[in-house]
Amino acid sequence: MKGDEYILSLDQGTTSSRAILFDRSGSIAGMAQREIAQIYPRPGWVEHDPLVIWSVQMSVIIEVISTSGVKASSIASIGITNQRETTVIWDRHSGKPLYNAIVWQDRRTASFCDELKEKGHEAMIKEKTGLLIDSYFSATKAWWILNNVEGAREAAAKGDLCFGTIDTWLLWKLTNGRVHATDITNASRTMLFNIHTCEWDMELLDLFGIPLSMMPEVKSCSEKFGETNLIDLKTTIPVSGVAGDQQAALFGQMCIEPGMVKNTYGTGCFMIMNTGSKPVLSRNNLLSTISWKIGNNVTYGLEGSVFIAGAVIQWLRDGLGVIGSSAESESVAAQVNDNGGVFFVPALSGLGAPYWDPYARGMIIGITRDTKYSHIVRAAIESIAFQVNDVMEAMSSDLGMELTELRTDGGAAANNILLQFQSDILKIPVVRPAILQTTSLGAAYFAGLGSGYWGSVDEIKSQWRSAARFNPSMTSENAKSMVDRWHEAIGRASEWAK
Ligand code: ADP
C-alpha cells in the first residue's frame, strides 16, 4: 500500500458538518467545517433540510480537498459519523425527501410517547431495544411523517419510500441512490431494532405502522457499504465505515476493553461505557445500546445523556452576561478557591439521566453576602462534574463494579478546573487525549479497518495518547460532603415546573 494515502472522515453533526483527512498515524492532514441551518417551525420542533445537509457536506469535502492539496485518488476510503436518531424519509424513485429531517431534539411526539407508556409498551420496548420510550428516538418521528404527509402511508405500503438516519441519507446520496444501508449503532437508536437478535423488529415496526420495505439494510461498522465517484468522476472511493457520533467517539478514544468509558463535554454530556459482548439492561435509567460491530463481534454499551453541560457556561455568557467567552469561565472561577457554599442545578430544560425529570428547573442556592460572581461561575462548572458523577454512579451500580479512569473530549473538556474537580469527586483519574476530534477519528478508524488501510485494532490502539491527566486531590470526606450537598440541591430543584 502507498504511503501517501488518507482516510476521509465525514462528521455530520447537529450544528455543523465537518470533513477531516487523517493520515496513517491518526494525525489530521486537513479539515473543513460549516454550520447547517436550524429550522424551528414551532416551539419544541427542530428540523434540518436534508438537501442542505447534503450540499453542506459536499461543500466541506471539496474544501478540505482543495485546501489540503490531497487528491481524491489518495483517499483510501471514507468513514461517516452522524448526529444520531434524526430521521429522514424519501421517495426511492425520485430521491426527494417527503418532509424535513426531524432532529433528535424535536419533542413533537412527546404526547404520543406518553400514550405508548400508558398502553403499557415500555417494558417490551426496553427489553428489545435497550431504550426508554422517548421522542428522542427515530420511531415516533417516522410515525409522525407517515401520518402527516399526504399520501405517505399509501406510498409506504407500495414500497416506494426509504427510511434513514443521516448516515443512511448521506450514503444514499454519495452512491447516487444505489445503496440503502445503515450501520448497527445507528439502527440501535431508532427504537425499531432488536439489540439482542440484531434485526429490525417486526412487532415494533407494526406498532408504528412502518413497513419493513422502508428499512435500510443493517451492516457492521467496518465493511464496504458502497462506493462514490462524486468527489472526482475519474476516481471511485469506497465508503467502508459508519457509526453514530457518540459510538464513534468511544472508538476514537480507543475504549476497546469492557469497563472503559468516555464522556463528551459538549452542549450536553454523553457518557458511554463499553460493556463487552453482552448488553447490560440498566436498573438506573441508563440506555443499553450497541457500541460497534466489527466482523461478527458485537460490542455493547451503557449510555447516560445529560442535557445541559457546556450550555450552562453559554448561559453564563449570554443569559447572565458575567463572562465574555466560554473559555473565560476558567479564569473567573480561578479567582476563588472553592464555590463558597454555592450550588447550581443547571436544569435549564429539565434533567436527563439519571433523573429524567422534565419539570426540574435551574436553581442557584447557598448565596450569602460574601458571594461573588466568580463563586457562581465556579458552581456552574462544578454542576457539569456533579451530573457526570451521577451518571457514573448509575453505571457503577448497574455493573456492580467501580470504574478506573474517565477519558474526555468535547469543547468544555478544555477547562482544567472542570477536569480537576471531575477527578476530585469521581476519585479516579480523568484524561484529556492529544486528539480532541475523537468522533471523526473513530469514523476514520472504522473506515480504515474496513478497507484494510489499517490491519487490526492492535495496530491503531497505540495511536491514542493522553495530553493531560488529572488525579484526585480532594479528601474522600470532602468529596462525599460536596456530592451529598449537590443531591440536596437537586431535591429542591426537582419537579419545580409541575
Ligand atoms: P457541541 O458539539 O455540542 O456543539 P462542543 O463540543 O463544540 O459542543 O462544545 C461546545 C460547548 O462547550 C459550549 O456549550 C461551550 O459553552 C462549552 N465550552 C467551550 N469551551 C469551554 C471552556 N473552556 N470551559 C467551559 N466550557 C466550554
Side-chain angles (χ1 to χ4, degrees):
M1 192 158 295
K2 288 181 290 177
D4 61 346
E5 288 190 328
Y6 300 87
I7 302 287
L8 174 62
S9 185
L10 310 181
D11 178 355
Q12 204 303 301
T14 311
T15 53
S16 72
S17 300
R18 289 193 183 107
I20 305 189
L21 286 161
F22 287 96
D23 67 16
R24 206 173 289 279
S25 70
S27 304
I28 293 177
M31 167 153 78
Q33 177 170 9
R34 270 183 59 193
E35 290 202 355
I36 57 164
Q38 309 292 314
I39 304 167
Y40 303 111
R42 294 189 200 177
W45 292 30
V46 189
E47 299 177 359
H48 293 154
D49 180 338
L51 297 173
V52 168
I53 288 187
W54 167 240
S55 64
V56 170
Q57 193 65 60
M58 267 322 276
S59 75
V60 289
I61 294 175
I62 303 302
E63 187 182 332
V64 76
I65 299 235
S66 60
T67 55
S68 66
V70 168
K71 292 195 202 63
S73 56
S74 299
I75 297 173
S77 64
I78 296 174
I80 300 176
T81 180
N82 56 293
Q83 51 168 320
R84 304 174 303 172
E85 297 102 9
T86 298
T87 299
V88 193
I89 294 183
W90 65 94
D91 182 296
R92 75 167 71 243
H93 311 292
S94 68
K96 238 181 102 196
L98 263 63
Y99 188 80
N100 275 338
I102 303 187
V103 177
W104 59 275
Q105 296 155 321
D106 190 292
R107 311 295 304 170
R108 78 186 65 187
T109 59
S111 60
F112 177 52
C113 289
D114 290 342
E115 247 175 70
L116 291 169
K117 286 183 216 160
E118 278 156 25
K119 287 187 181 146
H121 293 298
E122 190 137 54
M124 179 271 288
I125 288 183
K126 183 174 179 194
E127 207 285 312
K128 288 184 168 193
T129 66
L131 308 175
L132 303 167
I133 294 179
D134 197 276
S135 52
Y136 181 15
F137 308 108
S138 315
T140 63
K141 300 180 194 294
W143 169 88
W144 189 93
I145 295 175
L146 291 179
N147 281 358
N148 287 278
V149 173
E150 212 186 310
R153 288 250 171 239
E154 295 71 29
K158 278 200 286 172
D160 290 341
L161 301 185
C162 292
F163 161 94
T165 40
I166 296 297
D167 56 309
T168 306
W169 171 244
L170 290 179
L171 190 61
W172 170 274
K173 295 298 278 179
L174 280 168
T175 60
N176 262 327
R178 282 190 299 273
V179 178
H180 183 217
T182 189
D183 87 292
I184 196 163
T185 67
N186 277 293
S188 77
R189 313 296 295 190
T190 57
M191 217 164 80
L192 298 166
F193 190 74
N194 186 315
I195 62 168
H196 309 278
T197 61
C198 294
E199 286 173 337
W200 297 120
D201 189 277
M202 286 315 300
E203 186 181 357
L204 292 173
L205 288 171
D206 288 346
L207 181 63
F208 297 100
I210 301 171
L212 182 63
S213 62
M214 274 179 72
M215 303 307 288
E217 180 190 353
V218 181
K219 295 181 157 253
S220 72
C221 297
S222 198
E223 63 179 282
K224 188 163 172 186
F225 282 74
E227 44 193 29
T228 185
N229 63 357
L230 294 185
I231 298 176
D232 170 0
L233 288 176
K234 295 188 291 302
T235 310
T236 301
I237 309 172
V239 177
S240 56
V242 177
D245 53 9
Q246 299 307 324
Q247 283 90 339
L250 186 71
F251 197 62
Q253 289 270 25
M254 283 286 110
C255 291
I256 52 177
E257 303 294 338
M260 292 180 82
V261 54
K262 71 92 196 172
N263 184 55
T264 300
Y265 295 86
T267 308
C269 274
F270 293 90
M271 196 192 290
I272 309 194
M273 180 197 282
N274 176 332
T275 59
S277 59
K278 296 231 158 41
V280 175
L281 285 191
S282 177
R283 283 168 284 107
N284 294 290
N285 289 329
L286 303 176
L287 308 174
S288 309
T289 201
I290 293 180
S291 290
W292 54 74
K293 180 178 178 189
I294 298 177
N296 290 322
N297 300 321
V298 177
T299 298
Y300 289 87
L302 206 52
E303 175 172 330
S305 328
V306 166
F307 299 146
I308 302 286
V312 73
I313 306 296
Q314 280 169 315
W315 180 79
L316 293 176
R317 187 192 63 194
D318 306 335
L320 208 54
V322 294
I323 50 173
S325 67
S326 294
E328 204 185 310
S329 62
E330 183 166 348
S331 54
V332 171
Q335 292 167 12
V336 285
N337 293 327
D338 56 35
N339 65 13
V342 176
F343 286 78
F344 190 149
V345 179
L348 310 186
S349 52
L351 289 169
Y355 300 102
W356 299 100
D357 177 359
Y359 304 108
R361 286 297 176 269
M363 183 185 78
I364 304 174
I365 197 165
I367 300 172
T368 63
R369 287 290 290 269
D370 304 331
T371 302
K372 302 194 173 52
Y373 82 105
S374 38
H375 288 119
I376 293 176
V377 172
R378 193 164 188 118
I381 292 174
E382 290 179 357
S383 77
I384 302 174
F386 282 127
Q387 295 182 94
V388 168
N389 183 59
D390 288 340
V391 174
M392 190 74 119
E393 277 183 2
M395 279 185 181
S396 304
S397 151
D398 277 337
L399 285 152
M401 64 183 247
E402 296 298 321
L403 309 173
T404 53
E405 179 187 277
L406 178 68
R407 294 186 173 186
T408 66
D409 51 45
N415 190 310
N416 294 314
I417 289 188
L418 169 62
L419 295 198
Q420 181 57 54
F421 186 71
Q422 188 71 80
S423 171
D424 287 344
I425 57 166
L426 287 175
K427 302 185 279 301
I428 57 173
V430 169
V431 184
R432 184 196 293 143
I435 294 226
L436 281 168
Q437 306 289 0
T438 52
T439 305
S440 302
L441 181 60
Y445 281 158
F446 285 129
L449 289 168
S451 66
Y453 180 81
W454 287 295
S456 67
V457 175
D458 277 344
E459 195 181 322
I460 51 180
K461 81 176 177 208
S462 61
Q463 293 185 356
W464 185 90
R465 296 232 190 299
S466 126
R469 195 178 173 84
F470 299 82
N471 291 306
S473 64
M474 196 183 271
T475 64
S476 292
E477 298 76 56
N478 272 354
K480 181 174 181 312
S481 80
M482 293 215 51
V483 171
D484 287 347
R485 217 54 185 133
W486 158 259
H487 287 146
E488 273 181 55
I490 285 273
R492 294 182 191 218
S494 69
E495 300 198 343
W496 180 258
K498 199 158 195 167

